[in-house]
Each structure stands twice: as C-alpha cells, then as structure tokens.
C-alpha cells in the first residue's frame, strides 16, 4: 500500500480531494415525485399537483 501512495503525484492527490465535494452534489438528487401524491402542509391535506 505504501508503494502505491508513494507513486501517486501531488497533482493526482489534489485532484482527487477536489473531486470529493463535487461527488456529494450528485448524491442528493431529489426523488421523482408523483403529481397525484397527497401531502400535508400547515394542516391542509392537498395533492402535490395543487401546489404548482
């Protein structure tokens, strides 16, 4: 393992560290929602399509 780390260039390590926060942006993609889904907002029971 130490041989592998020793062979990595400083530029490769920096690029990998920069890429890690960018990958977290793609993990939190909003789920596809159904327009007829029923939701409660402030005590009101509504269809999601009524909110648009």
């Amino acid at each position: 393992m130490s041989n592998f780390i020793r062979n990595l260039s400083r530029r490769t390590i920096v690029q990998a560290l920069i890429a890690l926060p960018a990958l977290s942006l793609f993990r939190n993609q909003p789920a596809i929602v159904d327009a007829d889904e029923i939701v409660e907002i402030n005590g009101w029971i509504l269809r999601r399509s009524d909110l648009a």
Side-chain angles (χ1 to χ4, degrees):
M1 183 71 180
S2 63
N3 239 1
F4 175 72
I5 294 174
R6 205 175 311 144
N7 290 336
L8 288 176
S9 69
R10 191 176 293 167
R11 174 178 283 182
T12 304
I13 294 171
V14 169
Q15 286 176 341
L17 290 175
I18 290 172
L20 287 176
L23 291 176
S24 68
L25 294 174
F26 296 111
R27 258 189 285 157
N28 297 330
Q29 292 286 333
I32 298 173
V33 294
D34 185 16
D36 289 332
E37 181 182 13
I38 296 174
V39 294
E40 183 215 348
I41 298 176
N42 294 333
W44 291 85
I45 307 297
L46 303 168
R47 282 193 175 153
R48 192 171 291 277
S49 60
D50 294 339
L51 301 174

